Amino acid sequence: MTSINAGGAFYRVQNSLNLNSEKVSMSMQRLASGQQHIAPGDATGTKAVAYGTKAEAASLRVGLKNGTEALQAVEMLNNDVSQLNDIVVRLEELYAAGTNGFATTEDRAAIDAEADTLFTEMTRIATDAKWKGNALTNGTGVTVGFGRNAGSLAVELTAFAIPTIIDTNASPVTNALTGSDIARSGADLPTDANVVAALKSLKTNVDTMAVEAGALFNIVTNTMNHMSSLSAGYALDVASKMDVDFASETTELAKGQILAQAGTAMLAQANAQGQGMLALIQS
């Protein structure tokens, strides 16, 4: 039966066309903004989770910058300790030269002078092992944070010190190891065993610093590698929740545009139905 309700097709087609136009508009906005959720009320829970992860990722990025600075400070420490090790080796050589009974007074004076210079240089190297004015070889150091959930690290080495030794005479006196002890040239000299023990103590001190400096380098490097991987994972997680899927959205846009064209054509057809009814009445 033909009735005026045939005009309902027009309204249904118009409604479908309006809904599809809205979808096309949303797709265009997503593609233009690069965001999945463009309306304030879209997926608020998902956005809250994404922003929490984004905040942690931001913290990690700053932590990586902190780690880079810590790594530079630790590399400096390793270089300084390497110099200290070289000096310890030279002091051992000088002591061996000082035990030579054929050494003249002039020979011993030269050994004494070089050894004293080396002790002074060791103290200077340890004292100047600073990063931005912060001493790192006095047993305290600086704590560096790597961002939220990435922990922190104390950048410090065992304090450096020239070993003390007892000069044996009628009134034994405890003094720091000196060039005269190495050269065997002073008036009040410690026994050879004491000098050897002091040199071993010096080497142990520097060896401990070397082990600690090497461990710090490994810890900072490993921590930064972990943080870099974690940061990349967080970035991917945020992108999956917030960034638009361009391939999928482009497909939806093309589909919507096709439907829009079809809807427009069907609207014309629905309008034609109304015109047919009018023509029937007029006849």
Side-chain angles (χ1 to χ4, degrees), residues 86-128:
D86 290 340
I87 293 175
V88 169
V89 171
R90 180 55 184 161
L91 287 170
E92 291 279 8
E93 293 175 343
L94 291 174
Y95 173 71
T99 60
N100 182 2
F102 291 110
T104 64
T105 300
E106 290 77 11
D107 295 335
R108 296 186 186 282
I111 294 172
D112 186 338
E114 182 180 352
D116 275 338
T117 299
L118 292 176
F119 284 129
T120 300
E121 181 63 5
M122 292 185 85
T123 301
R124 184 199 65 77
I125 291 171
T127 302
D128 290 347

Side-chain angles (χ1 to χ4, degrees), residues 92 95 162-166 177 182 190-205:
E92 291 279 8
Y95 173 71
I162 303 295
T164 57
I165 196 168
I166 298 176
L177 189 63
I182 298 296
T191 64
D192 285 334
N194 286 345
V195 178
V196 170
L199 285 172
K200 284 184 177 179
S201 177
L202 180 63
K203 185 178 186 305
T204 298
N205 188 177

Side-chain angles (χ1 to χ4, degrees), residues 6-17 259-277:
F10 175 86
Y11 295 110
R12 286 192 291 271
V13 171
Q14 186 182 45
N15 183 57
S16 296
L17 187 59
L259 289 174
Q261 294 175 12
T264 301
M266 293 305 101
L267 189 63
Q269 292 292 327
N271 186 53
Q273 279 190 337
Q275 292 298 323
M277 290 292 295

Side-chain angles (χ1 to χ4, degrees), residues 68-78 131 136 155:
T68 298
E69 184 167 6
L71 192 62
Q72 298 304 313
V74 171
E75 286 183 347
M76 175 203 71
L77 285 175
N78 275 277
W131 187 264
L136 304 178
V155 181

Side-chain angles (χ1 to χ4, degrees), residues 74-252:
V74 171
E75 286 183 347
M76 175 203 71
L77 285 175
N78 275 277
N79 290 334
D80 288 345
V81 173
S82 179
Q83 294 178 41
L84 293 177
N85 263 320
D86 290 340
I87 293 175
V88 169
V89 171
R90 180 55 184 161
L91 287 170
E92 291 279 8
E93 293 175 343
L94 291 174
Y95 173 71
T99 60
N100 182 2
F102 291 110
T104 64
T105 300
E106 290 77 11
D107 295 335
R108 296 186 186 282
I111 294 172
D112 186 338
E114 182 180 352
D116 275 338
T117 299
L118 292 176
F119 284 129
T120 300
E121 181 63 5
M122 292 185 85
T123 301
R124 184 199 65 77
I125 291 171
T127 302
D128 290 347
K130 299 177 181 178
W131 187 264
K132 291 185 175 179
N134 297 289
L136 304 178
T137 59
N138 60 359
T140 55
V142 175
T143 298
V144 177
F146 296 107
R148 193 194 339 162
N149 297 332
S152 61
L153 176 68
V155 181
E156 62 182 6
L157 299 184
T158 295
F160 173 79
I162 303 295
T164 57
I165 196 168
I166 298 176
D167 291 338
T168 54
N169 57 17
S171 301
V173 178
T174 301
N175 292 311
L177 189 63
T178 65
S180 62
D181 298 324
I182 298 296
R184 322 304 291 138
S185 61
D188 300 318
L189 292 174
T191 64
D192 285 334
N194 286 345
V195 178
V196 170
L199 285 172
K200 284 184 177 179
S201 177
L202 180 63
K203 185 178 186 305
T204 298
N205 188 177
V206 175
D207 285 346
T208 299
M209 295 172 70
V211 170
E212 292 173 346
L216 284 173
F217 181 86
N218 290 334
I219 291 171
V220 175
T221 301
N222 293 336
T223 300
M224 291 183 67
N225 287 339
H226 169 72
M227 290 168 59
S228 180
S229 177
L230 191 60
S231 180
Y234 282 161
L236 182 60
D237 183 62
V238 171
S240 70
K241 292 180 173 67
M242 300 293 289
D243 293 351
V244 68
D245 182 341
F246 279 91
S248 175
E249 201 63 49
T250 300
T251 300
E252 288 298 315

